[in-house]
């Protein structure tokens, strides 16, 4: 399997506001830190795309 960065093909980034429970934010931040992911936003974008691909 070959991993390819598709971010250049996703278009311009846009800023959005989301409301999440503090517990969820803490879990995301811990996961991002522990897995050396670039940012919380990157994690959320990847998670959303993964979910969208599965449906």
């Amino acid at each position: 399997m070959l991993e390819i960065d598709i971010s250049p093909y996703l278009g311009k980034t846009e800023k959005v506001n989301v409301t999440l429970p503090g517990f969820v934010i803490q879990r995301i931040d811990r996961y991002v830190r522990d897995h050396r992911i670039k940012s919380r936003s990157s994690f959320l974008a990847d998670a959303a795309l993964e979910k969208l691909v599965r449906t």
Side-chain angles (χ1 to χ4, degrees), residues 2-16:
L2 179 64
E3 188 170 322
I4 299 172
D5 180 13
I6 64 166
S7 59
Y9 308 103
L10 297 177
K12 183 180 174 190
T13 60
E14 296 183 39
K15 188 172 187 170
V16 297

Side-chain angles (χ1 to χ4, degrees), residues 23-54:
F23 173 76
V24 174
I25 294 171
Q26 290 172 359
R27 296 273 316 265
I28 290 169
D29 288 346
R30 188 177 316 121
Y31 189 93
V32 166
R33 183 186 67 242
D34 293 348
H35 292 86
R36 295 188 175 128
I37 296 172
K38 188 167 91 171
S39 66
R40 182 191 295 161
S41 292
S42 177
F43 170 83
L44 291 171
D46 289 346
L49 285 172
E50 183 179 315
K51 180 74 171 183
L52 291 168
V53 167
R54 283 190 277 151

